[in-house]
Amino acid sequence: MIRLGADSDVEFAGHYTVPRWGCGTGCNGFVIVDSLSGKIYEGFGVAELPFKWLEKHGGEEMERMEFHPNSRLLKINACPNEKDCGLYDYVMMEGKGLKLVHKELLPDEFQ
């Protein structure tokens, strides 16, 4: 999956691809690949936010992962590695990988 994803069109931050694969119902894993150097930056699994929270906040339209070819911002609206459910903003740091710049955890009742 990483090799296939690495060969795809640029998806993120100017020259990166974001290969993704399923890791169970409502879950996907990802890495980030530099399409210029071939370097792979470690990702993680992201599970869907709890249905009760999504329902309460009109989240049916909320994407689990949001990123764009000409932006270094990667948004994760999910439960990284199936814990700490929340809304996360990362910035791609050239040559270093993702840096967390904002985290908003869901209330305890939705964890």
Side-chain angles (χ1 to χ4, degrees):
M1 293 307 297
I2 293 172
R3 284 189 192 119
L4 288 173
D7 288 336
S8 67
D9 292 336
V10 169
E11 300 177 286
F12 176 54
H15 58 93
Y16 296 91
T17 62
V18 186
R20 300 170 295 285
W21 56 88
C23 56
T25 303
C27 176
N28 64 288
F30 76 98
V31 295
I32 296 174
V33 179
D34 186 326
S35 63
L36 301 176
S37 69
K39 183 173 180 175
I40 299 171
Y41 296 92
E42 189 172 334
F44 44 87
V46 289
E48 287 180 350
L49 291 171
F51 178 75
K52 286 184 179 186
W53 186 88
L54 287 170
E55 186 177 55
K56 188 173 183 180
H57 293 88
E60 292 177 8
E61 296 144 18
M62 183 177 284
E63 296 289 331
R64 193 177 313 160
M65 295 177 68
E66 298 178 50
F67 49 87
H68 301 280
N70 295 317
S71 173
R72 294 183 310 122
L73 178 66
L74 181 133
K75 297 179 78 57
I76 303 283
N77 305 311
C79 308
N81 297 321
E82 299 184 32
K83 60 183 180 178
D84 298 327
C85 299
L87 311 175
Y88 296 80
D89 293 344
Y90 293 88
V91 172
M92 186 65 186
M93 303 298 290
E94 196 66 39
K96 296 182 180 180
L98 294 175
K99 176 183 177 183
L100 180 64
V101 294
H102 180 261
K103 173 172 79 171
E104 182 182 334
L105 294 176
L106 301 187
D108 287 343
E109 67 191 87
F110 298 107
Q111 294 295 332

